[in-house]
Amino acid sequence: MCGIIAAIGTEPVLASVLRGLQNLEYRGYDSAGVAVGLDDSLAVCKRAGQISALVDDVRAELPDGTRAIGHTRWSTHGPPTDANAHPHTDCTGRVAVVHNGIIENHEVLKADLRDHGHRFTSDTDTEVVAHLVEQCLEAGDETGVAVRQAIDRLAGSYAVAILVDGDDRVFAARNGSPLALGVGADTFYLGSDAPAFVEYTDEVVYLEDGDLVTLSPTSFEVSNDGQLVTRPAETIDWTPGDARKGAYDHFMLKEIHEQPSAIEQTIRGRLTDDGVRLEELEALDFGAVEAVHFVACGTSYHASLYCEQLLRERGVDAQTFLASEYSGSPPPVDERVLTVAVTQSGETADTLEAVRIARAEGATTLAVTNVVGSTVTRACDHHLLIRAGPEIGVAATKTFTSQITALVLLAERIVQDRGTDIQGYPLDELAALSDNAARTLESPQAEAVARRYADADSFFFIGRGPCYPVALEGALKLKEISYEHAEGFPAGELKHGPLALVTPQTPVIALFSGENDRNTLSNVREVQARGAPVIGVVPEGSDLVYEDFDDVLTVPDTAPELTAVLGNLQLQLFAYHVADALDRAIDKPRNLAKSVTVE
């Protein structure tokens, strides 16, 4: 998704805006640009391509100033060209705008503006904002009024930041697209999320839909529906170093290796001698819940499938829905349903729409997310943070593991409140998960195996029970960053169609948990009979014979439910090393964005 950065203060801010653009690269982009407010003009530099080239051009071409806005664009309206890159300006060059989201009524607005003599130079929906502000200024409106009048005419999702020549302020607004305000000692920042400016301040104000922000060099104010409002500042609990690669070649590899600490952070304070204690959810009576509906997309959907299985095994009616399909045919929902929205960013548009539908039907809603102050935490009745820390790589790794860990705690709390006699989750083993994850990541097996199969035509991932969602996730991770074909299946479904695709060039990665392993082994025999090599992901101490496989990735012996979680770490390493062997852009895979904020 596109990224916004802006800064205003009493000292020059261009360097911090350029640094903010670099911090936003992980979100995915194909062009970028900057506008600087000077004493008597605006200076703009924007380019298709990499930020590194833009930075060189900006330093050579633009003077510094005390207010600036920047943007990383992910193409929607029009191809990635210099003309379509943000910031966009009006006819006179007096107004500069950066924008995330989609302005749904831009064609109507553009037609009206053209009728009034405005000339457009890009294919984007964003450019209408600059011309709307220009039109209001020409009508004699004061700058702040002109901005508000322009924003009021927009329909759709947006976060915008605006500079106007001759005015020493920065204006911004949000509706359905994330925007955060950073409060520094002598500078204010705007960013699509906190990593854009975290090295300059840890004090963040999370803006809400309908907010219009006016920033001066020394103060700011927030209004909503024409009324001044107060939004509390929060202190983020991670440091700039958390959002840097350090000694690792890629953010993804760093974040894979951060999983033991991420698991520990998710669990900390939530496991007691009496079971699970979730302080955030003390007011929620799970005993009154008759059914649990998960809504999620992508990796979060796979984590939800895992938790659905846990609940169903323990007598709780649970279902998982793809959020992108939910609005078309939502299930029957009432006040007896707990709808759990699982989203790493807290800004996933499809998931937020599913939440709105569920709430309208009377369901209690609960967000499971990684981002404090994200939209989903305000859209839901309750929220549970996974506490994984910042994740910069586009492909989710530690957030998936932390989602599963948080959802396990949630499932156990639901079972506790319902007072069922069903055997609970192995909480002692959950407490040891961090240590077992560290042991798994110490293994060098995955790199050698990955390089052996990097040139394969296709990859199949299979598993049963809790291994099935992990098989789906393993396939997704591989296709995301290697661009190779990969599919995940329930192991028993191979013979119902996919087996036709198996060849000696189709490695099959089979996950074993210690339960139903003999059935999965029968499926392994089926693919071996067709010449396919098999990589077994196997718990140590298993009675499986390792010679049954062409290659083996082992994980520490633990409860069957958690074996799958550890197996996922091996699959992440496998995907990473395949992509590395193929020289892919691992942290910024093509066509993908970290946060999907449009439906």
Side-chain angles (χ1 to χ4, degrees), residues 435-452:
D435 289 340
N436 282 330
R439 285 181 54 201
T440 303
L441 293 170
E442 290 170 359
S443 167
Q445 298 166 318
E447 181 173 4
V449 174
R451 295 188 180 278
R452 193 149 45 245

mmCIF file with all atom_site columns, all heavy atoms in Angstrom, residues 435-452:
data_model
loop_
_atom_site.group_PDB
_atom_site.id
_atom_site.type_symbol
_atom_site.label_atom_id
_atom_site.label_alt_id
_atom_site.label_comp_id
_atom_site.label_asym_id
_atom_site.label_entity_id
_atom_site.label_seq_id
_atom_site.pdbx_PDB_ins_code
_atom_site.Cartn_x
_atom_site.Cartn_y
_atom_site.Cartn_z
_atom_site.occupancy
_atom_site.B_iso_or_equiv
_atom_site.pdbx_formal_charge
_atom_site.auth_seq_id
_atom_site.auth_comp_id
_atom_site.auth_asym_id
_atom_site.auth_atom_id
_atom_site.pdbx_PDB_model_num
ATOM 1   N N   . ASP A 1 435 ? 11.340 -21.290 23.616 1.00 0.00 ? 435 ASP A N   1
ATOM 2   C CA  . ASP A 1 435 ? 12.613 -22.018 23.637 1.00 0.00 ? 435 ASP A CA  1
ATOM 3   C C   . ASP A 1 435 ? 12.679 -23.017 22.485 1.00 0.00 ? 435 ASP A C   1
ATOM 4   O O   . ASP A 1 435 ? 13.734 -23.170 21.834 1.00 0.00 ? 435 ASP A O   1
ATOM 5   C CB  . ASP A 1 435 ? 12.790 -22.754 24.962 1.00 0.00 ? 435 ASP A CB  1
ATOM 6   C CG  . ASP A 1 435 ? 13.049 -21.800 26.124 1.00 0.00 ? 435 ASP A CG  1
ATOM 7   O OD1 . ASP A 1 435 ? 13.454 -20.648 25.870 1.00 0.00 ? 435 ASP A OD1 1
ATOM 8   O OD2 . ASP A 1 435 ? 12.831 -22.212 27.282 1.00 0.00 ? 435 ASP A OD2 1
ATOM 9   N N   . ASN A 1 436 ? 11.587 -23.708 22.227 1.00 0.00 ? 436 ASN A N   1
ATOM 10  C CA  . ASN A 1 436 ? 11.582 -24.675 21.128 1.00 0.00 ? 436 ASN A CA  1
ATOM 11  C C   . ASN A 1 436 ? 11.702 -23.986 19.767 1.00 0.00 ? 436 ASN A C   1
ATOM 12  O O   . ASN A 1 436 ? 12.311 -24.524 18.830 1.00 0.00 ? 436 ASN A O   1
ATOM 13  C CB  . ASN A 1 436 ? 10.312 -25.524 21.183 1.00 0.00 ? 436 ASN A CB  1
ATOM 14  C CG  . ASN A 1 436 ? 10.375 -26.604 22.237 1.00 0.00 ? 436 ASN A CG  1
ATOM 15  O OD1 . ASN A 1 436 ? 11.450 -27.109 22.560 1.00 0.00 ? 436 ASN A OD1 1
ATOM 16  N ND2 . ASN A 1 436 ? 9.233  -26.963 22.814 1.00 0.00 ? 436 ASN A ND2 1
ATOM 17  N N   . ALA A 1 437 ? 11.132 -22.797 19.674 1.00 0.00 ? 437 ALA A N   1
ATOM 18  C CA  . ALA A 1 437 ? 11.285 -22.038 18.430 1.00 0.00 ? 437 ALA A CA  1
ATOM 19  C C   . ALA A 1 437 ? 12.745 -21.669 18.211 1.00 0.00 ? 437 ALA A C   1
ATOM 20  O O   . ALA A 1 437 ? 13.265 -21.745 17.085 1.00 0.00 ? 437 ALA A O   1
ATOM 21  C CB  . ALA A 1 437 ? 10.411 -20.788 18.475 1.00 0.00 ? 437 ALA A CB  1
ATOM 22  N N   . ALA A 1 438 ? 13.418 -21.245 19.283 1.00 0.00 ? 438 ALA A N   1
ATOM 23  C CA  . ALA A 1 438 ? 14.842 -20.901 19.166 1.00 0.00 ? 438 ALA A CA  1
ATOM 24  C C   . ALA A 1 438 ? 15.653 -22.114 18.734 1.00 0.00 ? 438 ALA A C   1
ATOM 25  O O   . ALA A 1 438 ? 16.557 -22.000 17.879 1.00 0.00 ? 438 ALA A O   1
ATOM 26  C CB  . ALA A 1 438 ? 15.348 -20.356 20.498 1.00 0.00 ? 438 ALA A CB  1
ATOM 27  N N   . ARG A 1 439 ? 15.351 -23.278 19.279 1.00 0.00 ? 439 ARG A N   1
ATOM 28  C CA  . ARG A 1 439 ? 16.061 -24.504 18.874 1.00 0.00 ? 439 ARG A CA  1
ATOM 29  C C   . ARG A 1 439 ? 15.815 -24.820 17.406 1.00 0.00 ? 439 ARG A C   1
ATOM 30  O O   . ARG A 1 439 ? 16.737 -25.203 16.681 1.00 0.00 ? 439 ARG A O   1
ATOM 31  C CB  . ARG A 1 439 ? 15.597 -25.680 19.736 1.00 0.00 ? 439 ARG A CB  1
ATOM 32  C CG  . ARG A 1 439 ? 16.147 -25.694 21.148 1.00 0.00 ? 439 ARG A CG  1
ATOM 33  C CD  . ARG A 1 439 ? 15.648 -26.915 21.898 1.00 0.00 ? 439 ARG A CD  1
ATOM 34  N NE  . ARG A 1 439 ? 15.941 -28.152 21.173 1.00 0.00 ? 439 ARG A NE  1
ATOM 35  C CZ  . ARG A 1 439 ? 15.302 -29.316 21.364 1.00 0.00 ? 439 ARG A CZ  1
ATOM 36  N NH1 . ARG A 1 439 ? 14.297 -29.373 22.235 1.00 0.00 ? 439 ARG A NH1 1
ATOM 37  N NH2 . ARG A 1 439 ? 15.646 -30.379 20.681 1.00 0.00 ? 439 ARG A NH2 1
ATOM 38  N N   . THR A 1 440 ? 14.586 -24.638 16.962 1.00 0.00 ? 440 THR A N   1
ATOM 39  C CA  . THR A 1 440 ? 14.269 -24.913 15.564 1.00 0.00 ? 440 THR A CA  1
ATOM 40  C C   . THR A 1 440 ? 15.071 -24.010 14.642 1.00 0.00 ? 440 THR A C   1
ATOM 41  O O   . THR A 1 440 ? 15.605 -24.456 13.613 1.00 0.00 ? 440 THR A O   1
ATOM 42  C CB  . THR A 1 440 ? 12.767 -24.695 15.304 1.00 0.00 ? 440 THR A CB  1
ATOM 43  O OG1 . THR A 1 440 ? 12.013 -25.527 16.186 1.00 0.00 ? 440 THR A OG1 1
ATOM 44  C CG2 . THR A 1 440 ? 12.403 -25.014 13.864 1.00 0.00 ? 440 THR A CG2 1
ATOM 45  N N   . LEU A 1 441 ? 15.164 -22.738 15.004 1.00 0.00 ? 441 LEU A N   1
ATOM 46  C CA  . LEU A 1 441 ? 15.831 -21.770 14.133 1.00 0.00 ? 441 LEU A CA  1
ATOM 47  C C   . LEU A 1 441 ? 17.347 -21.932 14.141 1.00 0.00 ? 441 LEU A C   1
ATOM 48  O O   . LEU A 1 441 ? 18.029 -21.377 13.269 1.00 0.00 ? 441 LEU A O   1
ATOM 49  C CB  . LEU A 1 441 ? 15.447 -20.352 14.552 1.00 0.00 ? 441 LEU A CB  1
ATOM 50  C CG  . LEU A 1 441 ? 13.973 -20.002 14.331 1.00 0.00 ? 441 LEU A CG  1
ATOM 51  C CD1 . LEU A 1 441 ? 13.620 -18.674 14.988 1.00 0.00 ? 441 LEU A CD1 1
ATOM 52  C CD2 . LEU A 1 441 ? 13.657 -19.953 12.837 1.00 0.00 ? 441 LEU A CD2 1
ATOM 53  N N   . GLU A 1 442 ? 17.882 -22.665 15.097 1.00 0.00 ? 442 GLU A N   1
ATOM 54  C CA  . GLU A 1 442 ? 19.322 -22.938 15.115 1.00 0.00 ? 442 GLU A CA  1
ATOM 55  C C   . GLU A 1 442 ? 19.711 -23.991 14.079 1.00 0.00 ? 442 GLU A C   1
ATOM 56  O O   . GLU A 1 442 ? 20.882 -24.110 13.722 1.00 0.00 ? 442 GLU A O   1
ATOM 57  C CB  . GLU A 1 442 ? 19.748 -23.419 16.505 1.00 0.00 ? 442 GLU A CB  1
ATOM 58  C CG  . GLU A 1 442 ? 19.701 -22.342 17.575 1.00 0.00 ? 442 GLU A CG  1
ATOM 59  C CD  . GLU A 1 442 ? 19.883 -22.913 18.975 1.00 0.00 ? 442 GLU A CD  1
ATOM 60  O OE1 . GLU A 1 442 ? 20.024 -24.156 19.094 1.00 0.00 ? 442 GLU A OE1 1
ATOM 61  O OE2 . GLU A 1 442 ? 19.881 -22.123 19.939 1.00 0.00 ? 442 GLU A OE2 1
ATOM 62  N N   . SER A 1 443 ? 18.735 -24.728 13.573 1.00 0.00 ? 443 SER A N   1
ATOM 63  C CA  . SER A 1 443 ? 19.019 -25.826 12.646 1.00 0.00 ? 443 SER A CA  1
ATOM 64  C C   . SER A 1 443 ? 19.443 -25.289 11.288 1.00 0.00 ? 443 SER A C   1
ATOM 65  O O   . SER A 1 443 ? 18.807 -24.385 10.742 1.00 0.00 ? 443 SER A O   1
ATOM 66  C CB  . SER A 1 443 ? 17.773 -26.706 12.482 1.00 0.00 ? 443 SER A CB  1
ATOM 67  O OG  . SER A 1 443 ? 17.938 -27.584 11.377 1.00 0.00 ? 443 SER A OG  1
ATOM 68  N N   . PRO A 1 444 ? 20.501 -25.835 10.685 1.00 0.00 ? 444 PRO A N   1
ATOM 69  C CA  . PRO A 1 444 ? 20.941 -25.391 9.353  1.00 0.00 ? 444 PRO A CA  1
ATOM 70  C C   . PRO A 1 444 ? 20.281 -26.176 8.221  1.00 0.00 ? 444 PRO A C   1
ATOM 71  O O   . PRO A 1 444 ? 20.629 -25.985 7.050  1.00 0.00 ? 444 PRO A O   1
ATOM 72  C CB  . PRO A 1 444 ? 22.440 -25.688 9.397  1.00 0.00 ? 444 PRO A CB  1
ATOM 73  C CG  . PRO A 1 444 ? 22.532 -26.933 10.253 1.00 0.00 ? 444 PRO A CG  1
ATOM 74  C CD  . PRO A 1 444 ? 21.430 -26.806 11.294 1.00 0.00 ? 444 PRO A CD  1
ATOM 75  N N   . GLN A 1 445 ? 19.335 -27.052 8.544  1.00 0.00 ? 445 GLN A N   1
ATOM 76  C CA  . GLN A 1 445 ? 18.813 -27.975 7.534  1.00 0.00 ? 445 GLN A CA  1
ATOM 77  C C   . GLN A 1 445 ? 18.132 -27.258 6.364  1.00 0.00 ? 445 GLN A C   1
ATOM 78  O O   . GLN A 1 445 ? 18.295 -27.637 5.203  1.00 0.00 ? 445 GLN A O   1
ATOM 79  C CB  . GLN A 1 445 ? 17.797 -28.932 8.182  1.00 0.00 ? 445 GLN A CB  1
ATOM 80  C CG  . GLN A 1 445 ? 18.370 -29.808 9.272  1.00 0.00 ? 445 GLN A CG  1
ATOM 81  C CD  . GLN A 1 445 ? 17.262 -30.480 10.086 1.00 0.00 ? 445 GLN A CD  1
ATOM 82  O OE1 . GLN A 1 445 ? 16.254 -29.862 10.426 1.00 0.00 ? 445 GLN A OE1 1
ATOM 83  N NE2 . GLN A 1 445 ? 17.462 -31.749 10.387 1.00 0.00 ? 445 GLN A NE2 1
ATOM 84  N N   . ALA A 1 446 ? 17.336 -26.245 6.656  1.00 0.00 ? 446 ALA A N   1
ATOM 85  C CA  . ALA A 1 446 ? 16.456 -25.669 5.645  1.00 0.00 ? 446 ALA A CA  1
ATOM 86  C C   . ALA A 1 446 ? 17.222 -25.076 4.473  1.00 0.00 ? 446 ALA A C   1
ATOM 87  O O   . ALA A 1 446 ? 16.800 -25.206 3.315  1.00 0.00 ? 446 ALA A O   1
ATOM 88  C CB  . ALA A 1 446 ? 15.559 -24.604 6.277  1.00 0.00 ? 446 ALA A CB  1
ATOM 89  N N   . GLU A 1 447 ? 18.340 -24.415 4.726  1.00 0.00 ? 447 GLU A N   1
ATOM 90  C CA  . GLU A 1 447 ? 19.066 -23.776 3.632  1.00 0.00 ? 447 GLU A CA  1
ATOM 91  C C   . GLU A 1 447 ? 19.557 -24.793 2.616  1.00 0.00 ? 447 GLU A C   1
ATOM 92  O O   . GLU A 1 447 ? 19.376 -24.616 1.403  1.00 0.00 ? 447 GLU A O   1
ATOM 93  C CB  . GLU A 1 447 ? 20.239 -22.968 4.173  1.00 0.00 ? 447 GLU A CB  1
ATOM 94  C CG  . GLU A 1 447 ? 21.008 -22.270 3.066  1.00 0.00 ? 447 GLU A CG  1
ATOM 95  C CD  . GLU A 1 447 ? 22.090 -21.329 3.579  1.00 0.00 ? 447 GLU A CD  1
ATOM 96  O OE1 . GLU A 1 447 ? 22.299 -21.272 4.810  1.00 0.00 ? 447 GLU A OE1 1
ATOM 97  O OE2 . GLU A 1 447 ? 22.716 -20.647 2.737  1.00 0.00 ? 447 GLU A OE2 1
ATOM 98  N N   . ALA A 1 448 ? 20.179 -25.873 3.095  1.00 0.00 ? 448 ALA A N   1
ATOM 99  C CA  . ALA A 1 448 ? 20.701 -26.881 2.165  1.00 0.00 ? 448 ALA A CA  1
ATOM 100 C C   . ALA A 1 448 ? 19.570 -27.532 1.371  1.00 0.00 ? 448 ALA A C   1
ATOM 101 O O   . ALA A 1 448 ? 19.681 -27.743 0.154  1.00 0.00 ? 448 ALA A O   1
ATOM 102 C CB  . ALA A 1 448 ? 21.485 -27.935 2.943  1.00 0.00 ? 448 ALA A CB  1
ATOM 103 N N   . VAL A 1 449 ? 18.465 -27.843 2.047  1.00 0.00 ? 449 VAL A N   1
ATOM 104 C CA  . VAL A 1 449 ? 17.338 -28.474 1.361  1.00 0.00 ? 449 VAL A CA  1
ATOM 105 C C   . VAL A 1 449 ? 16.735 -27.510 0.340  1.00 0.00 ? 449 VAL A C   1
ATOM 106 O O   . VAL A 1 449 ? 16.418 -27.891 -0.795 1.00 0.00 ? 449 VAL A O   1
ATOM 107 C CB  . VAL A 1 449 ? 16.270 -28.925 2.384  1.00 0.00 ? 449 VAL A CB  1
ATOM 108 C CG1 . VAL A 1 449 ? 15.030 -29.449 1.672  1.00 0.00 ? 449 VAL A CG1 1
ATOM 109 C CG2 . VAL A 1 449 ? 16.849 -30.003 3.309  1.00 0.00 ? 449 VAL A CG2 1
ATOM 110 N N   . ALA A 1 450 ? 16.582 -26.258 0.720  1.00 0.00 ? 450 ALA A N   1
ATOM 111 C CA  . ALA A 1 450 ? 15.990 -25.275 -0.184 1.00 0.00 ? 450 ALA A CA  1
ATOM 112 C C   . ALA A 1 450 ? 16.818 -25.117 -1.446 1.00 0.00 ? 450 ALA A C   1
ATOM 113 O O   . ALA A 1 450 ? 16.275 -25.057 -2.566 1.00 0.00 ? 450 ALA A O   1
ATOM 114 C CB  . ALA A 1 450 ? 15.855 -23.933 0.529  1.00 0.00 ? 450 ALA A CB  1
ATOM 115 N N   . ARG A 1 451 ? 18.110 -25.047 -1.314 1.00 0.00 ? 451 ARG A N   1
ATOM 116 C CA  . ARG A 1 451 ? 18.955 -24.853 -2.492 1.00 0.00 ? 451 ARG A CA  1
ATOM 117 C C   . ARG A 1 451 ? 18.945 -26.089 -3.392 1.00 0.00 ? 451 ARG A C   1
ATOM 118 O O   . ARG A 1 451 ? 19.101 -25.976 -4.609 1.00 0.00 ? 451 ARG A O   1
ATOM 119 C CB  . ARG A 1 451 ? 20.373 -24.473 -2.064 1.00 0.00 ? 451 ARG A CB  1
ATOM 120 C CG  . ARG A 1 451 ? 20.392 -23.126 -1.353 1.00 0.00 ? 451 ARG A CG  1
ATOM 121 C CD  . ARG A 1 451 ? 21.777 -22.576 -1.065 1.00 0.00 ? 451 ARG A CD  1
ATOM 122 N NE  . ARG A 1 451 ? 21.653 -21.283 -0.376 1.00 0.00 ? 451 ARG A NE  1
ATOM 123 C CZ  . ARG A 1 451 ? 21.440 -20.127 -0.976 1.00 0.00 ? 451 ARG A CZ  1
ATOM 124 N NH1 . ARG A 1 451 ? 21.327 -20.089 -2.298 1.00 0.00 ? 451 ARG A NH1 1
ATOM 125 N NH2 . ARG A 1 451 ? 21.345 -19.007 -0.277 1.00 0.00 ? 451 ARG A NH2 1
ATOM 126 N N   . ARG A 1 452 ? 18.692 -27.226 -2.786 1.00 0.00 ? 452 ARG A N   1
ATOM 127 C CA  . ARG A 1 452 ? 18.629 -28.457 -3.591 1.00 0.00 ? 452 ARG A CA  1
ATOM 128 C C   . ARG A 1 452 ? 17.395 -28.459 -4.492 1.00 0.00 ? 452 ARG A C   1
ATOM 129 O O   . ARG A 1 452 ? 17.413 -29.036 -5.583 1.00 0.00 ? 452 ARG A O   1
ATOM 130 C CB  . ARG A 1 452 ? 18.624 -29.655 -2.642 1.00 0.00 ? 452 ARG A CB  1
ATOM 131 C CG  . ARG A 1 452 ? 18.881 -30.967 -3.319 1.00 0.00 ? 452 ARG A CG  1
ATOM 132 C CD  . ARG A 1 452 ? 19.605 -31.996 -2.449 1.00 0.00 ? 452 ARG A CD  1
ATOM 133 N NE  . ARG A 1 452 ? 19.110 -32.116 -1.083 1.00 0.00 ? 452 ARG A NE  1
ATOM 134 C CZ  . ARG A 1 452 ? 19.859 -31.794 -0.016 1.00 0.00 ? 452 ARG A CZ  1
ATOM 135 N NH1 . ARG A 1 452 ? 21.072 -31.295 -0.162 1.00 0.00 ? 452 ARG A NH1 1
ATOM 136 N NH2 . ARG A 1 452 ? 19.368 -31.944 1.195  1.00 0.00 ? 452 ARG A NH2 1
#
